[in-house]
Amino acid sequence: MSIDKSSFVPPYYQLAQILERQIKSGVYRPGDPLPSEAELSEKYGLSRMTVRRSLSQLARAGLIRTEKGKGTFVSRPQLDRAVFVMDEFHKEMASRGLTSSVRLLEARLVPAPEKAAKKLQLPPGTKVLYIRRSLLADGEPMAYDRKYLRYDRGRPILENELQYQALPEMVEKHAEALPASSKMVLQVTLLNEEEARALHVAPGSPAFLLEQILVASDGRPVGWGWCLYRGDRYQLTSVPEALQNLG
Amino acid sequence: MSIDKSSFVPPYYQLAQILERQIKSGVYRPGDPLPSEAELSEKYGLSRMTVRRSLSQLARAGLIRTEKGKGTFVSRPQLDRAVFVMDEFHKEMASRGLTSSVRLLEARLVPAPEKAAKKLQLPPGTKVLYIRRSLLADGEPMAYDRKYLRYDRGRPILENELQYQALPEMVEKHAEALPASSKMVLQVTLLNEEEARALHVAPGSPAFLLEQILVASDGRPVGWGWCLYRGDRYQLTSVPEALQNLG
DNA sequence: AAGTGGTCTAGACCACCCT
DNA sequence: GGGTGGTCTAGACCACTTT
């Protein structure tokens, strides 16, 4: 186990791999201290900065933890913790090998309903852009999306832009603020008749309910709505611990 | 905007904050190049290594992206992407200000049912530890957990250890292998009569279904089961983009 | 006092990109 | 060829922990 300085793999990465193998094979067990940075530096013929880079990579991956003045220790794997990632719909479907498409069901200006006005911090009845879309995977409906968006600019709504563009881009086009962050809440729900019809399933079927609020950089909400994902075709898979913070 | 070297806040962090403010206030907009590392180094009186540390922090947070030979650019925020974290039950409830507890409903050795045997890669009928638990928040059932665990050591099952210990520790106690990683899948489902009774809700209510497989370091599965979370009391909130990879 | 990790510097060489 | 980010070094000082 030593560093090959002629390799294309940089030394900091080689050392990280060596230590990772040693941890996973039980040379160092949870709670054990790793050799000090000075020792690793001497043993592998690397500068301390380089050793530290290896260690910080392992720390980001959750394998080790450093304690000031004390040392570096192997972490206990966090098995009761799960991280789920919901990617943008097209990417998500593409990674499952499905071809995705979007069907626009409705897009018009409406007076904001009470709840939408509240969420968008607008006076009730303000004109907002209301959009209903079907998100399809291999031609079959996978999700049903309904959103209320601020509509400051008075630009005409072009049907084709709604079919293909992601929501953040639609907000940019039709509202003055450009969205900077979003808050999402994931719940479960039973589909009512309208929702079930849109998703081609029976009323009362279970589904994921993803509530989304788009927020501008000045903190103002610029979009709000929900997206329903069919419970029989959609699931979330946990991200492996080691990949949670970069590999 | 300059670096205060007498501050307790280290220079690399001060520079990261300066650049973050400039990005969020629109000085640099998505797609724009940041000044080169050499320029930042000169402007703020820091070595290039320190400047790079600031930049790599912003890159981990997703605010910027570096391109070899070209420069560093402001990223477009990924608003259609969400990250959800399900922490260990006690921690999760504690962070919501609820006091959690666990009630053991059943714990006995049973011949592994076909599906459990398959998931645990054991011959059908092998004796496994079957556990049913209620996870309570402020005394009300929040989740209903059923697990099959390998049982290699023949140790007696102590009731009190099942009430309070997390599953990984139970596996360690009763199986030969110590679990090293877990895979989880999150789905939605409708509760049957037994499940509804355990959760104090009506049959047919929607719920989160979290399937969990515990895997030993040698790759062998050591535990499998599901945990049902009440749909009316449980929800997942997205992690802010900037905190997804360290703050 | 000795050992540890945390931070910083002023150089260096490299591969990559553009002109 | 000149600019860019990616990597590495051999020192240095600091705060913290343990002896």
Side-chain angles (χ1 to χ4, degrees):
Chain A
M1 287 302 176
S2 67
I3 305 297
D4 175 7
K5 293 215 176 185
S6 69
S7 165
F8 293 107
V9 180
Y12 81 87
Y13 198 88
Q14 291 184 48
L15 177 55
Q17 284 181 315
I18 290 172
L19 294 173
E20 181 176 353
R21 273 198 300 270
Q22 291 180 331
I23 290 170
K24 293 205 169 160
S25 67
V27 176
Y28 305 110
R29 325 195 84 219
D32 285 356
L34 249 49
S36 74
E37 295 175 357
E39 284 173 309
L40 290 171
S41 172
E42 212 262 337
K43 174 167 183 184
Y44 291 97
L46 298 172
S47 78
R48 199 181 142 219
M49 281 294 266
T50 303
V51 169
R52 278 182 62 73
R53 182 157 180 189
S54 308
L55 294 177
S56 75
Q57 178 172 317
L58 296 176
R60 276 205 310 279
L63 271 76
I64 62 175
R65 130 192 63 87
T66 57
E67 288 182 32
K68 231 190 298 194
K70 296 170 81 173
T72 303
F73 304 89
V74 178
S75 299
R76 182 173 295 275
Q78 294 192 44
L79 300 175
D80 278 334
R81 188 176 184 272
V83 174
F84 300 98
V85 173
M86 281 186 88
D87 220 329
E88 198 264 314
F89 185 74
H90 291 90
K91 281 186 193 167
E92 187 110 337
M93 294 305 114
S95 71
R96 297 188 197 184
L98 304 173
T99 56
S100 58
S101 54
V102 175
R103 181 158 51 193
L104 180 66
L105 304 173
E106 185 179 1
R108 58 191 172 97
L109 290 174
V110 299
E114 191 179 354
K115 192 161 187 189
K118 199 173 163 189
K119 290 281 185 179
L120 292 176
Q121 294 178 16
L122 292 170
T126 310
K127 289 273 185 185
V128 294
L129 186 54
Y130 177 58
I131 291 165
R132 290 196 304 123
R133 303 187 307 166
S134 248
L135 307 178
L136 313 172
D138 280 355
E140 268 291 301
M142 177 72 105
Y144 176 43
D145 185 37
R146 285 170 291 182
K147 290 280 190 323
Y148 293 93
L149 307 177
R150 288 185 95 106
Y151 183 73
D152 299 333
R153 287 188 174 156
R155 292 194 184 173
I157 304 164
L158 301 176
E159 284 226 346
N160 60 358
E161 91 190 11
L162 292 170
Q163 307 246 19
Y164 301 107
Q165 287 184 2
L167 280 174
E169 291 158 13
M170 302 197 316
V171 174
E172 260 185 74
K173 280 237 165 27
H174 295 284
E176 274 163 2
L178 76 165
S181 66
S182 72
K183 295 181 200 173
M184 309 216 205
V185 178
L186 187 65
Q187 297 175 277
V188 297
T189 192
L190 299 181
L191 298 176
N192 66 26
E193 293 226 3
E194 181 225 339
E195 296 159 348
R197 200 160 42 238
L199 287 170
H200 293 189
V201 295
S205 299
F208 284 105
L209 168 61
L210 182 69
E211 182 182 359
Q212 183 177 22
I213 301 181
L214 287 170
V215 182
S217 53
D218 59 6
R220 285 189 318 170
V222 291
W224 172 72
W226 338 262
C227 191
L228 292 164
Y229 289 81
R230 275 174 63 162
D232 60 339
R233 300 189 72 200
Y234 196 83
Q235 61 182 34
L236 293 164
T237 304
S238 65
V239 178
E241 190 174 19
L243 300 176
Q244 277 171 30
N245 308 289
L246 195 69
Chain B
M1 287 302 173
S2 65
I3 305 296
D4 176 7
K5 293 213 178 186
S6 69
S7 164
F8 292 106
V9 180
Y12 82 88
Y13 197 88
Q14 291 183 50
L15 177 54
Q17 284 181 316
I18 289 171
L19 295 173
E20 180 176 352
R21 273 197 301 270
Q22 290 179 332
I23 289 170
K24 293 207 167 159
S25 67
V27 176
Y28 304 111
R29 323 196 83 213
D32 286 356
L34 248 49
S36 73
E37 295 175 355
E39 285 173 309
L40 290 171
S41 171
E42 212 261 337
K43 174 167 184 186
Y44 291 98
L46 299 172
S47 78
R48 196 178 146 221
M49 281 293 266
T50 304
V51 169
R52 278 182 63 71
R53 182 158 181 188
S54 307
L55 294 177
S56 76
Q57 178 173 317
L58 296 175
R60 277 206 310 277
L63 272 76
I64 62 174
R65 128 192 65 88
T66 58
E67 288 182 33
K68 232 192 295 196
K70 296 171 81 173
T72 303
F73 304 89
V74 178
S75 299
R76 184 172 294 275
Q78 294 191 43
L79 301 174
D80 278 335
R81 187 176 185 273
V83 174
F84 299 98
V85 174
M86 281 187 88
D87 220 330
E88 198 264 314
F89 187 74
H90 291 89
K91 281 186 192 165
E92 187 111 337
M93 294 305 114
S95 71
R96 298 189 198 183
L98 304 174
T99 55
S100 59
S101 54
V102 175
R103 181 157 51 192
L104 181 66
L105 304 174
E106 185 179 0
R108 59 190 171 98
L109 289 175
V110 300
E114 191 180 353
K115 191 161 187 190
K118 198 173 163 188
K119 291 279 186 181
L120 292 176
Q121 293 177 15
L122 292 170
T126 310
K127 289 274 185 182
V128 294
L129 187 54
Y130 177 58
I131 291 166
R132 291 197 302 122
R133 304 188 305 166
S134 249
L135 306 178
L136 312 171
D138 280 356
E140 268 291 301
M142 177 72 103
Y144 176 43
D145 185 37
R146 286 169 290 181
K147 290 281 191 318
Y148 293 93
L149 306 177
R150 287 185 95 104
Y151 183 72
D152 300 332
R153 288 188 172 158
R155 293 192 182 176
I157 305 163
L158 302 175
E159 285 226 345
N160 60 359
E161 90 190 13
L162 292 169
Q163 307 245 18
Y164 301 107
Q165 287 184 0
L167 280 175
E169 291 158 12
M170 301 196 318
V171 173
E172 259 185 77
K173 280 236 165 32
H174 295 285
E176 274 163 2
L178 76 166
S181 67
S182 73
K183 294 181 202 172
M184 308 215 205
V185 178
L186 188 65
Q187 298 174 277
V188 296
T189 191
L190 300 181
L191 298 175
N192 66 26
E193 294 227 1
E194 182 227 338
E195 296 159 349
R197 201 161 42 238
L199 288 169
H200 292 189
V201 295
S205 300
F208 284 104
L209 169 61
L210 181 70
E211 183 183 358
Q212 184 178 21
I213 301 181
L214 288 170
V215 181
S217 53
D218 59 7
R220 285 189 318 170
V222 292
W224 172 73
W226 338 261
C227 191
L228 292 164
Y229 290 81
R230 276 175 63 163
D232 59 338
R233 300 190 70 200
Y234 196 82
Q235 63 183 32
L236 293 163
T237 305
S238 66
V239 179
E241 189 174 21
L243 299 176
Q244 276 171 31
N245 308 289
L246 195 72

